Structures are given as structure tokens and as C-alpha cells.
Amino acid sequence: MRFLLDAEQRAFAASLDAMLTSADTPSAVRAWAGGDRSRGRALWSRLADAGVFALAVPEAYEGVGQLPVELALAFVELGRHAVPGPVVETVAAAALLSELGDLGVPGPAERLLPRLASGGSVATLASAGGFALDADAVAVLLVVEGDSLRLAPGHGPVRASVDPARRLARPEPGGELLAAGPQVTRAARRALGWARLATAAQALGVGLSLLDRTVEYVGQRTQFGVPVGSFQAVKHRLADALTVLEFARPLLFGAALSMAPADVAAAKVTAGEAAYTTARTALQLHGAIGYTAEYDLSLWFTKARALRTAWGTPAECRAEALAGLSGGRPRR
């Protein structure tokens, strides 16, 4: 299948890229990791004004309609610029609430979705016993427990993940029961697909940024009087990284078109592995400077590691993709 973006979609992606380029996202990421949310929240508001979060919300709840292709485009740019915050989790929460509304449980959707679409509220979503991303930075902390959905009253101690800008905490028990029954299970499964799609797109953007930064670096760094980028071995490593990233791109947009769980799982594992492979190449070609937290490369390197397992490990996503090919169900 050949997938071509139309002029409006390309313009949307270009506008996000221009906006984020001017926003000094590395400073916002470092501030977010240190607990200062002001720059991240300002960035969130600009993304909301651009309609990013409305892409996961139906028009009935003040969104622009659920548009997975446009959402994937947006999240590639969010990954390219290492935007901090629970951006994927807000999309997952919106997808879950939207599905509940479609399944005859409109109350939580009517109450929460308009503010998620407008950027007025930030949400995160967790499963029972699991960690919630950036729980200390959100107004809406949703927890899926079996066939029930609750609004958690708070969270426990916060800790960093492999990515210092991704802060994790366990939701506190109790809170308000929003919905219960098989509709919650179905809605949670739908939300998982949207979360994996957004994560895959974000990972692809991270990988593309790592590649661009590495190409620029090896073109400037010299050894034996010539740029190291002129060495054949370096060219081969960069070509390999470009190949895996470009292989992930059509899988991502194919999954956005179908939203079939197996397609989304395949896109997620492929993009995640491509970003991780590119991160390792970038680290090797940058040498010792790539290991320092002060160097901006680390912001993308750690994010690639975290996104690789977020919303499904590579093994889980491969199992689901293979099950989809065989018409079966993934092994647990």
C-alpha cells in the first residue's frame, strides 16, 4: 500500500514542527523532570490550541472527531521534539471515555471530555496495581480495575523512570466510581489501541530526531582531518538506522487507517524497536559526550528506551500482531 499525505495534513505537521522548534522544548523537558510544570503546561496549552488533543475526541464532546491519521502525524512531531507530559495517556483517557459514551455510558464522557479536548484538563490512565505517568501533574487520574473505572483521589510517592521526565506513581485506592460492567473492558481495549498508536508515532519521531542530530554531529566532528561522517562504517550505521525508521513509517500510518489491534501492535513494536536501534547508533557515534545528561541527546535517548516498553512490551505486541495474522488470540 502506498500512503500519501494530503496538503492539509502536511501543513498541519509542518505547523506543529515550527511551533515546537520555537518553544525550546529541551528546557521544558528538564524543568518537567525537576518538578517545574510551568513551561510544560504552557506548551500543553499551545498544543491544545492547535487541536492536538481534540483529535481523539468526537464532535459530540467538543472535539474535532476521532482522527487517528492526524493524531499519528501530531505525535510524530511531539516525539521529534521530546514534548514532556502524559500526552499519550491523555489520548488514551479520551479514547476510553469516548468509547464509553458510544456504548451507552455517556455521563463520564460528557463531564470530562470537553476539558480534555480543549487542554483545560490533563489526564493520565493506569490499570489496577500499575503505575500512572505524571500523576502529580494531572487533574484527572483514571484507573481501570477489571470491569470498573474510577477517578482516583490522589497518588502515592513519585519516582522517575528510565526517562527522568516520565515520573511514575501508584494511584491511591478509593475515589469515585465512574462506570462498571463489560462496557469498561471494551472501552479499555479500545483505549489501548489509541495509546499504542500514539506511542508508536511518538517513538518514530524520537528516532527521526536522533538520526537528524547524529547526521549533523558526524558532519561536524573531525578525525584525521576529515568529518567522521565521511567514513564508510559510519555511513552504513546511519543507513541502517534510516532503513528501520522508514520501514516503521508505513506500518504506523497503515495502522492509523485500520485501527485493527494487530496492525497497531505491529506498528508499535516496529517503531519502538526502530527508535531504540537508532538511539544506540546515535550514542555510539556521538561517543562519550552522548552519555552526559547535560547534552540534549540524552533527552531523546532516554525517551526511546521508555517508549519501547510503554503500553505493551515488544514481546506482547509481537504476540498480538502474530495472532492477528493467524486469526487467533495472543498467548498470555
Side-chain angles (χ1 to χ4, degrees):
M1 178 181 66
R2 188 181 183 194
F3 184 92
L4 294 175
L5 300 173
D6 62 30
E8 187 174 352
Q9 290 168 331
R10 291 195 299 270
F12 175 57
S15 68
L16 289 177
D17 180 42
M19 181 188 75
L20 293 170
T21 297
S22 67
D24 187 17
T25 53
S27 294
V29 174
R30 289 191 169 93
W32 191 277
D36 178 2
R37 311 297 191 195
S38 57
R39 295 182 183 181
R41 290 188 184 280
L43 191 58
W44 193 284
S45 295
R46 296 180 68 182
L47 291 170
D49 290 343
V52 170
F53 303 111
L55 294 170
V57 178
E59 293 181 23
Y61 303 109
E62 300 183 25
V64 297
Q66 292 181 307
L67 302 173
V69 172
E70 284 74 12
L71 184 100
L73 278 171
F75 272 74
V76 168
E77 297 307 322
L78 268 59
R80 195 191 296 271
H81 293 276
V83 171
V87 286
V88 169
E89 289 66 29
T90 294
V91 164
L96 188 150
L97 294 168
S98 299
E99 186 72 6
L100 281 179
D102 290 344
L103 293 174
V105 189
E110 293 172 345
R111 173 181 164 189
L112 299 173
L113 278 178
R115 286 188 59 78
L116 294 185
S118 68
S121 289
V122 179
T124 195
L125 178 64
S127 58
F131 287 97
L133 179 67
D134 291 321
D136 57 335
V138 304
V140 178
L141 174 50
L142 299 178
V143 181
V144 176
E145 296 177 326
D147 64 352
S148 66
L149 175 68
R150 65 181 176 89
L151 185 63
H155 59 84
V158 175
R159 72 180 196 182
S161 72
V162 295
D163 176 2
R166 293 172 60 87
R167 296 156 60 86
L168 304 172
R170 293 193 186 276
E172 292 179 350
E176 179 185 354
L177 180 66
L178 296 178
Q183 298 96 328
V184 173
T185 304
R186 290 175 59 187
R189 182 64 183 168
R190 176 73 169 169
L192 176 63
W194 280 80
R196 284 180 172 175
L197 180 74
T199 302
Q202 201 176 16
L204 178 60
V206 167
L208 291 170
S209 184
L210 284 165
L211 180 59
D212 288 345
R213 289 169 179 273
T214 306
V215 169
E216 181 181 7
Y217 179 76
V218 299
Q220 296 172 348
R221 179 186 170 194
T222 60
Q223 193 172 24
F224 308 117
V226 297
V228 297
S230 65
F231 299 158
Q232 199 69 19
V234 172
K235 291 180 180 180
H236 285 165
R237 292 299 303 272
L238 294 172
D240 288 344
L242 177 61
T243 298
V244 294
L245 290 169
E246 289 304 317
F247 182 75
R249 192 192 300 270
L251 290 182
L252 171 67
F253 289 109
L257 285 172
S258 75
M259 288 304 288
D263 293 346
V264 174
K268 199 272 177 183
V269 68
T270 305
E273 294 296 76
Y276 186 67
T277 297
T278 305
R280 294 180 65 180
T281 296
L283 191 60
Q284 181 181 25
L285 296 183
H286 274 79
I289 193 173
Y291 287 89
T292 62
E294 294 78 15
Y295 194 61
D296 283 351
L297 185 80
S298 67
L299 305 180
W300 281 266
F301 177 69
T302 55
K303 191 172 290 295
R305 291 181 60 196
L307 293 176
R308 185 172 181 241
T309 55
W311 293 99
T313 65
E316 291 168 341
C317 290
R318 285 192 184 98
E320 180 138 10
L322 290 171
L325 290 174
S326 63
R329 294 184 61 83
R331 296 178 182 177
R332 299 296 182 188

